[in-house]
Amino acid sequence: MLELKGVQKTFGTATAREVRLFDNFNLTIADKEFVSLVGSNGSGKTTLLNIICGSLPQDKGSVVMDGRDISGQKEYVRARRIGRIHQNPAWGTVGNMTILENLSLADNKQRRMGFRQGTDPRRVEYYKELLRPLGLGLENMLSARAGSLSGGERQALAMVTATMTPVDFLILDEHTAALDPQTAETIMTLTDRLVREKGLTTIMITHNLRYALAVGDRLIMMHKGKIVLDKKGEDKMTMQPGELLQLFGGFNYETPRTSEETYAAYPQFEAAAR
Amino acid sequence: MNIFATFFAALPATIEQGLIYAVLAMGIMITYTILDFPDLTVDGSFPLGAAVTASLMLSGWHPIACLIMSALAGAVAGLATGLIHVKLKVRDLFSGVIVMTGLYAINLRIAGGSALRTIPRTATTIFRNNPLADVLPQGVSVVAIALLIALIVKLLLDWFFTTRYGYLLRAAGDNERVVTSLARDKGNVKIAGLVIANALVALSGGILCQQQRLFEASMGTGTLVLGLASVIIGVNLFRGSNLIKRTTQVIIGAILYKACVSFAIACGMRPGDLKLITSALFLLILAAGQMKKKEKQYA
């Protein structure tokens, strides 16, 4: 279980551009829950993920993982349990190393990083088995540099390396945003499969409202550091794309139209309570 | 005398020096091409290696033990730079400058307060008055031993880069995020790279000290530039070739660099002017490096 308790985060403290993004922000994510997170730019989605992963410190409040406060843990320590995929496909793997070396490197995550051979030849078949279901033919090009792959291939490889060793949480930061529609579809299918297979607790940011509805079992919309929509199970399943789009538009444009006139022209996003 | 005759007469010495500086260049290869860290510590750790070797040899230590101590001293210098950069968050260039400046004083202390220490001709060094040098035909013994050392270092490094830690080090230079995602502290990996690199640089200083039988306090000036020049010549010469290992490229680069310098001297360039050439070369290298970065961005 992942909890954020009373999180406060201010950017540009003591400057003219001071922005308090989060003020007493609370969120609880159950085990094996797959949350898709939507919201406009600047709504605090990525900041939220950065606070969870430890890339950014919060000013107040705590991040609690399975009942344990991990606020003081460094990013790399949290990475033992968290896998993260970024928007930029180049961030997830080492461009100057081959596919095989990247897989070996990820495989060594759970081992001691001593002076044993970086690549264990007995594991090569296993790596190929991991790559085969991607259907991209990567298993036949193990000696290709990761930097020579296309964005989609590289993102698929990053998905494999991030989830190769046992992790409990998967953080996806717009991981299909830089890909063409066809490839994005492939990666999304792969994501869904990996998350189900491995039973990962997942938070996925997406700007694709269709994916947000189709994938995952909980949908959260954020606006200016607050949760303005939070639907699970049946409620989420029955939600119509049009309604979501209206709500999204309502919060971000001058004239709210429906979705109850965007919560009656958002008196402080009261919907968080719904 | 003909320029070429002078150049060829000096060729054996050029190759000897090139091979000795190749060890240094392989150290700089780690910080510059792998970690992308402009490590000025080397201007201090190179003479540090020489100072340690010179003073230990004069107190009767075995030449090989002297080299081991030199490498260890260099490792400590690299550790200092790494800690200053990673833990105190001082910029990379400045961390190196701080340690380099401090080392100047430390080197003088190690050398017993004098800026120049010489080792007598009769002393046993790795190049002279030892069983291996005695069996080898005169004239080639120094080149052969220098080649042997360069090859040992090369093979060790080649092996290291195929180990798990070697993988991690390569990842750290290319994409720090991956190191973090592997639940490893990227700062520690960087420090490790600096430790290894400076150990090699100081080792090279120790070897040069045994070959020239002297330590001189200012011998480190321009070490980084020299090493970088070697690395970049070697790497660019074999650009796009996967058959020749990076380490081999760097060894060849170091020899070629020394050959260029030797040729410039044969052409009648005064040693005092060499620094100007070196600085022009450095500018060229930095400019080329920027272009390389741009290329990398879009790779």
Side-chain angles (χ1 to χ4, degrees):
Chain A
M1 195 163 73
L2 183 67
E3 295 161 278
L4 284 108
K5 291 180 178 172
V7 170
Q8 183 183 311
K9 180 73 192 173
T10 309
F11 285 104
T13 308
T15 66
R17 298 183 51 120
E18 180 175 307
V19 177
R20 175 158 298 176
L21 182 57
F22 292 131
D23 199 1
N24 192 23
F25 183 91
N26 296 290
L27 176 65
T28 304
I29 294 168
D31 272 340
K32 304 193 178 178
E33 201 163 50
F34 186 166
V35 180
S36 31
L37 191 58
V38 295
S40 53
N41 293 323
S43 62
K45 308 180 302 293
T46 299
T47 304
L48 176 67
L49 299 195
N50 280 337
I51 287 174
I52 293 172
C53 293
S55 334
L56 263 185
Q58 67 272 27
D59 302 333
K60 274 189 200 162
S62 50
V63 180
V64 180
M65 198 177 264
D66 293 335
R68 192 166 155 229
D69 188 343
I70 58 160
S71 304
Q73 264 183 12
K74 291 219 165 91
E75 186 180 10
Y76 76 93
V77 179
R78 299 188 200 186
R80 286 178 197 151
R81 297 191 60 196
I82 303 178
R84 185 173 189 183
I85 313 281
H86 296 88
Q87 177 177 356
N88 187 342
W91 287 8
T93 47
V94 185
N96 274 327
M97 293 173 79
T98 64
I99 294 180
L100 179 60
E101 286 169 335
N102 270 292
L103 289 164
S104 312
L105 197 58
D107 201 13
N108 291 341
K109 179 176 177 181
Q110 54 191 341
R111 305 200 176 100
R112 275 179 53 93
M113 287 285 182
F115 295 120
R116 287 175 187 241
Q117 277 299 297
T119 300
D120 183 347
R122 289 166 301 182
R123 300 283 280 176
V124 174
E125 272 312 308
Y126 165 67
Y127 299 154
K128 285 186 178 175
E129 287 310 310
L130 287 177
L131 294 176
R132 205 159 282 137
L134 304 179
L136 297 169
L138 294 182
E139 66 276 10
N140 301 319
M141 42 198 288
L142 288 179
S143 58
R145 277 176 54 244
S148 70
L149 301 177
S150 73
E153 289 168 336
R154 201 161 171 189
Q155 198 68 310
L157 181 62
M159 296 283 308
V160 172
T161 55
T163 54
M164 200 164 161
T165 50
V167 285
D168 303 312
F169 300 90
L170 184 62
I171 302 291
L172 306 167
D173 190 353
E174 287 182 54
H175 69 310
T176 61
L179 310 174
D180 70 64
Q182 180 74 45
T183 314
E185 205 73 39
T186 313
I187 295 291
M188 203 50 88
T189 315
L190 170 69
T191 307
D192 199 39
R193 207 198 73 219
L194 272 177
V195 169
R196 303 290 164 212
E197 256 174 29
K198 295 181 185 274
L200 302 171
T201 307
T202 305
I203 306 176
M204 174 180 80
I205 294 183
T206 178
H207 281 306
N208 187 322
L209 299 181
R210 189 171 58 80
Y211 288 147
L213 282 173
V215 182
D217 33 42
R218 182 172 173 189
L219 173 69
I220 291 178
M221 186 189 283
M222 285 176 72
H223 184 67
K224 294 190 177 166
K226 290 198 166 54
I227 292 174
V228 292
L229 180 85
D230 188 349
K231 300 260 188 201
K232 287 185 218 188
E234 191 73 6
D235 284 350
K236 174 176 182 284
M237 304 266 277
T238 54
M239 186 144 190
Q240 294 303 310
E243 193 193 348
L244 187 60
L245 191 60
Q246 270 180 353
L247 195 61
F248 191 86
F251 273 112
N252 291 293
Y253 299 103
E254 286 297 298
T255 47
R257 275 178 298 131
T258 61
S259 213
E260 295 159 50
E261 296 304 328
T262 311
Y263 304 136
Y266 36 87
Q268 272 348 45
F269 322 130
E270 45 106 323
R274 293 187 182 208
Chain B
M1 202 169 155
N2 187 310
I3 293 169
F4 290 98
T6 318
F7 175 72
F8 283 111
L11 198 57
T14 306
I15 296 175
E16 278 164 34
Q17 296 246 321
L19 287 166
I20 293 170
Y21 281 106
V23 175
L24 162 108
M26 284 189 271
I28 289 176
M29 177 192 85
I30 296 177
T31 45
Y32 182 70
T33 65
I34 298 179
L35 289 182
D36 201 12
F37 190 109
D39 181 26
L40 262 173
T41 320
V42 297
D43 278 34
S45 55
F46 184 71
L48 171 68
V52 168
T53 290
S55 62
L56 289 180
M57 285 197 74
L58 289 171
S59 33
W61 282 52
H62 189 278
I64 292 177
C66 293
L67 292 184
I68 293 170
M69 294 310 288
S70 285
L72 284 176
V76 174
L79 180 68
T81 303
L83 289 174
I84 291 172
H85 174 60
V86 172
K87 304 290 176 196
L88 303 180
K89 311 216 183 319
V90 175
R91 270 167 61 180
D92 47 12
L93 210 53
F94 291 148
S95 326
V97 171
I98 290 166
V99 175
M100 174 191 85
T101 310
L103 277 176
Y104 190 85
I106 292 171
N107 293 345
L108 284 177
R109 284 269 178 156
I110 292 173
S114 79
L116 186 75
R117 294 298 295 269
T118 50
I119 295 161
R121 213 162 229 299
T122 51
T124 299
T125 69
I126 51 167
F127 296 108
R128 248 175 255 272
N129 307 328
N130 68 49
L132 181 61
D134 291 343
V135 247
L136 290 165
Q138 211 160 19
V140 298
S141 65
V142 178
V143 173
I145 291 169
L147 180 66
L148 181 71
I149 296 170
L151 280 181
I152 292 173
V153 171
K154 174 201 139 54
L155 292 174
L156 274 173
L157 272 185
D158 287 347
W159 164 80
F160 173 68
F161 287 128
T162 65
T163 64
R164 288 179 190 168
Y165 205 89
Y167 275 23
L168 203 59
L169 192 69
R170 287 162 63 195
D174 196 342
N175 190 346
E176 289 183 352
R177 282 184 195 85
V178 170
V179 177
T180 304
S181 77
L182 293 168
R184 298 304 194 285
D185 188 351
K186 61 185 183 224
N188 287 346
V189 180
K190 233 178 199 176
I191 294 173
L194 285 165
V195 165
I196 298 167
N198 279 287
L200 289 179
V201 170
L203 173 67
S204 170
I207 298 168
L208 188 75
C209 167
Q210 297 204 15
Q211 191 238 354
Q212 307 210 318
R213 295 192 308 283
L214 72 88
F215 157 77
E216 197 215 324
S218 68
M219 69 193 283
T221 314
T223 303
L224 176 64
V225 177
L226 184 154
L228 278 183
S230 308
V231 169
I232 290 171
I233 292 172
V235 170
N236 284 323
L237 197 62
F238 298 101
R239 185 190 282 270
S241 156
N242 291 325
L243 291 173
I244 300 172
K245 284 227 166 75
R246 187 56 69 88
T247 42
T248 316
Q249 297 175 357
V250 169
I251 293 175
I252 294 170
I255 296 171
L256 284 179
Y257 174 78
K258 277 287 159 191
C260 290
V261 172
S262 157
F263 189 74
I265 291 172
C267 287
M269 178 150 302
R270 293 214 305 268
D273 295 339
L274 273 178
K275 287 272 180 257
L276 192 64
I277 301 288
T278 309
S279 81
L281 195 63
F282 194 32
L283 177 65
L284 202 72
I285 286 164
L286 286 181
Q290 281 310 311
M291 282 184 265
K292 195 185 92 188
K293 267 207 188 113
K294 216 168 203 171
E295 237 171 65
K296 201 173 161 183
Q297 255 173 30
Y298 296 103

